[in-house]
Amino acid sequence: EDEQIVTEIMRRRFFPDVITYKAWEGFHFAGHEIRITEATDYYGAVVWPSALVLCYFLETNCKQYNLVDKNVIEIGAGTGLVSIVASLLGALVTATDLPELLGNLQHNVLQNTKLKCKHQPCVKELSWGIDLEKNFPRASCHFDYIMAADVVYHHPFLDELLLTFDHLCKNDTVIMWAMKFRLDNENQFVDRFQTLFDLEVISNFPSLNITLYKAMRKGMMKV
């Protein structure tokens, strides 16, 4: 079953017939052809398999997780694929990442959502753990969903990542988090994450070493 679903997920990806001066990949989600411009000089500027897993889940479970008119923020949005798919599914999306990635992110979001979505998504800078209250004040920012795909890897900002999850998450916020396990850092972060949040595995893909989680603040998860 794992391999069958993974095959279906990977079928959603396509590549240009001819080489162009800009590297791009194509995807089929939410009834649209999505073209993503990539860059090879940043980790966040390419599409990783965890993003495809999350997009596939959002599309195929859109009745259970109805995103229409929901406030969604994606952290570490990278190329913007997850934010684009969430927008096409009716969400009001804020796509965030580091300042050096915002140009490419904005290009992809605009190219793939303009005149196609109920709500035009916005792109905003978010450096984990920095100026969170200034840029995303708790009193006025409420997100129904936090999306994250492959944000945990070998980098020195895991404390800031956890702080960011904690800041953005209200009692009724649902975190949808796809993660590829590579090193012990991932396991250690999951353990630390569970000191603040209840975690539920909603899909698991051993052939990709990717797990898709749903999370909420401790005690808020419905049984």
Side-chain angles (χ1 to χ4, degrees):
E1 183 181 3
D2 165 48
E3 291 182 357
Q4 289 178 349
I5 296 176
V6 168
T7 298
E8 171 59 25
I9 292 172
M10 293 307 166
R11 278 200 195 110
R12 303 300 186 93
R13 171 183 252 160
F14 65 92
F15 299 92
D17 294 329
V18 295
I19 297 174
T20 60
Y21 74 98
K22 277 192 175 181
W24 65 270
E25 289 185 68
F27 304 89
H28 292 288
F29 287 110
H32 290 268
E33 180 181 292
I34 301 167
R35 292 195 177 196
I36 296 293
T37 300
E38 299 181 319
T40 57
D41 47 350
Y42 296 111
Y43 282 119
V46 296
V47 178
W48 300 101
S50 292
L52 274 69
V53 166
L54 182 49
C55 289
Y56 180 82
F57 182 87
L58 294 175
E59 181 189 284
T60 55
N61 293 271
C62 60
K63 290 185 179 179
Q64 182 178 359
Y65 297 91
N66 185 357
L67 297 184
V68 176
D69 298 330
K70 296 296 194 297
N71 281 314
V72 172
I73 186 169
E74 184 185 5
I75 62 174
T79 60
L81 181 62
V82 172
S83 289
I84 290 164
V85 172
S87 298
L88 293 171
L89 291 171
L92 179 58
V93 176
T94 302
T96 71
D97 215 311
L98 296 170
E100 58 266 28
L101 296 172
L102 295 187
N104 190 56
L105 175 58
Q106 179 71 66
H107 168 77
N108 285 328
V109 167
L110 187 61
Q111 176 177 266
N112 290 286
T113 61
K114 189 175 182 180
L115 303 179
K116 298 177 183 178
C117 298
K118 184 176 183 181
H119 307 286
Q120 185 61 39
C122 71
V123 172
K124 191 171 180 179
E125 177 185 341
L126 173 54
S127 299
W128 298 339
I130 298 175
D131 292 331
L132 293 175
E133 182 58 30
K134 175 184 175 182
N135 296 325
F136 300 90
R138 288 180 186 268
S140 58
C141 285
H142 180 279
F143 297 106
D144 300 295
Y145 288 93
I146 299 171
M147 304 287 178
D150 227 3
V151 293
V152 181
Y153 46 90
H154 187 61
H155 61 67
F157 304 111
L158 295 181
D159 289 340
E160 290 82 357
L161 174 59
L162 187 59
L163 182 65
T164 301
F165 273 124
D166 185 41
H167 180 85
L168 296 174
C169 191
K170 297 288 199 297
N171 285 343
D172 59 347
T173 301
V174 176
I175 298 170
M176 307 293 288
W177 170 26
M179 184 169 74
K180 183 177 179 68
F181 286 83
R182 302 179 183 87
L183 303 166
D184 286 341
N185 276 19
E186 283 86 349
N187 294 311
Q188 293 170 8
F189 184 82
V190 170
D191 291 341
R192 293 175 58 203
F193 185 87
Q194 289 184 97
T195 63
L196 299 176
F197 303 97
D198 289 324
L199 202 58
E200 175 188 344
V201 175
I202 50 178
S203 286
N204 194 31
F205 302 96
S207 62
L208 295 175
N209 213 21
I210 290 173
T211 301
L212 178 58
Y213 294 107
K214 170 186 174 182
M216 294 185 74
R217 282 204 174 277
K218 277 198 166 295
M220 297 293 111
M221 190 90 77
K222 294 180 181 178
V223 179

